[in-house]
Amino acid sequence: MPEQENETDMQTYATVDELMHAAAEEIIFQSAESIATHGYFALALAGGSTPRQLYTLLANKELSARINWSCVYLFWGDERCVPPDHSDSNYRMAYDSLIKRVPIPASNIYRMQGEQRPEQAAEHYQRMLQHFFTTPLADEPMATFDVVLLGMGTDGHTASLFPGTAAIQEQTRLVIAHYIEQLQAWRITLTPVALNHARHIVFLVAGAEKAERLRQVVQGDEQPEVLPAQVVRPVHGKVRWMVDAAAASVLEE
Ligand code: 6PG
C-alpha cells in the first residue's frame, strides 16, 4: 500500500490483556489532553466484542477515577438496528460494561436510536452531531471527535462500512443507514467523512483470525471497496493500530 502522508502507527502487544491496558491508558491520556485543551472529550465507541474488555477496564475504580466523566461525551461509530436493550446492541454492550458503572451524566450520551426506522435514526444522529459540534461547547466546523475507536472484522470492514457498500465512498453525509446483504440486516454507521475528521483514530484488533486481513489492510494493495478499513485516512493526524501479537503475527517487518 503506498506510504500514506499520515503514516500508520502500529503498536503490538504480547497479550490481549496488555493490549487492553495500553488502550485504556491511551483513552485516559487523550481524555485529559482534550479536556485541558477544549473543555470536553468527544469519544466515539466501537461496537462488536473486542472493546468490551477495554470498556470494563475503564469502569474499574482505579482507572475510572482518572477520567473526568462530567466532561466526557460518548458517541457510537455504528449501531445495529435493534432496541437498546437487545443483546446485539452496541449501546447495550457499552452500557453494561462501562456506562452504568461510571458517573457520566446521561445527557452526555449520544446513542444511535437502533429502535427507530434506520434512515430516520441516521438523519436524527446526523442532526445531533451537527448540533453538538456547532454549539459554543465545541464550535467545530465539522464533526470532530477527539478519539474514534474502531474495530475490524475478519472481512476488513470497520464500523458498519462493509465490503462492496456505497457507504465507503460517501463524501457528504456524516451518518447513513444501509441494508447489509452479508448480514441480512440494517446498520447505522458513521461515514468516512465523520471518521476521518477525528483528531485521533484508534483501531483495536485482537486474535489470529484477523491476522491475514490486517496484513492486507495495512500492508497490501489499496482497495477500500474490498477492505473498507483502508478508507480510514484521517485528514489530520494518523491512524493508530493497537493490536495483539496474534493479530500481528503475519505482518511483514
Ligand atoms: C459492530 C462493530 C464492528 C466491529 C467489527 C469487529 O457493530 O460489529 O462496530 O465494526 O468493530 O465487526 O468486531 P469484533 O470486535 O466482535 O471482532
Side-chain angles (χ1 to χ4, degrees):
M1 186 161 93
E3 192 51 45
Q4 295 184 18
E5 60 280 4
N6 46 15
E7 85 285 353
T8 298
D9 171 18
M10 179 67 66
Q11 295 172 347
T12 304
Y13 300 87
T15 65
V16 174
D17 212 44
E18 286 178 28
L19 165 62
M20 296 300 170
H21 278 84
E25 289 297 333
E26 175 68 10
I27 296 294
I28 291 168
F29 173 77
Q30 294 297 350
S31 72
E33 284 285 292
S34 299
I35 293 166
T37 309
H38 49 262
Y40 68 92
F41 178 53
L43 171 63
L45 297 177
S49 56
T50 302
R52 182 192 293 271
Q53 189 177 344
L54 168 60
Y55 303 161
T56 303
L57 262 181
L58 288 172
N60 287 354
K61 197 168 167 45
E62 185 267 326
L63 292 184
S64 173
R66 293 166 56 196
I67 294 177
N68 181 352
W69 293 102
S70 66
C71 299
V72 175
Y73 293 80
L74 290 183
F75 303 84
W76 273 260
D78 71 326
E79 185 55 279
R80 290 83 181 278
C81 292
V82 294
D85 59 355
H86 192 284
S87 57
D88 288 349
S89 165
N90 287 335
Y91 167 81
R92 176 171 169 186
M93 185 273 277
Y95 180 81
D96 289 344
S97 55
L98 175 64
I99 294 169
K100 71 180 183 184
R101 301 171 57 207
V102 297
I104 185 168
S107 56
N108 287 23
I109 295 167
Y110 289 78
R111 179 177 69 85
M112 288 178 168
Q113 296 177 330
E115 71 279 18
Q116 298 296 337
R117 197 169 53 75
E119 291 100 333
Q120 185 182 329
E123 183 50 39
H124 178 262
Y125 209 69
Q126 166 115 0
R127 286 199 307 275
M128 243 178 19
L129 291 182
Q130 287 167 329
H131 175 72
F132 178 86
F133 286 105
T134 51
T135 53
L137 176 71
D139 193 21
E140 296 280 356
M142 152 63 75
T144 304
F145 297 104
D146 291 301
V147 169
V148 170
L149 271 178
L150 291 171
M152 186 194 74
T154 52
D155 61 355
H157 83 262
T158 191
S160 281
L161 303 172
F162 282 83
T165 57
I168 297 166
Q169 305 302 337
E170 177 60 40
Q171 302 289 323
T172 50
R173 288 178 296 176
L174 301 175
V175 190
I176 59 110
H178 57 168
Y179 185 76
I180 310 295
E181 287 299 337
Q182 300 94 308
L183 303 176
Q184 297 283 298
W186 281 84
R187 289 285 185 96
I188 304 162
T189 187
L190 296 186
T191 66
V193 181
L195 296 175
N196 287 334
H197 275 83
R199 292 191 173 90
H200 301 276
I201 298 176
V202 176
F203 274 99
L204 203 54
V205 182
E209 72 279 8
K210 302 199 177 165
E212 174 51 23
R213 200 65 77 186
L214 178 64
R215 185 196 63 76
Q216 292 171 10
V217 166
V218 299
Q219 296 179 336
D221 296 336
E222 185 76 1
Q223 45 179 344
E225 280 301 310
V226 176
L227 302 168
Q230 289 183 335
V231 83
V232 177
R233 303 168 70 91
V235 174
H236 309 291
K238 62 188 172 189
V239 182
R240 172 167 302 180
W241 291 82
M242 300 183 78
V243 305
D244 72 344
S249 56
V250 297
L251 288 181
E252 287 137 26
E253 286 301 316

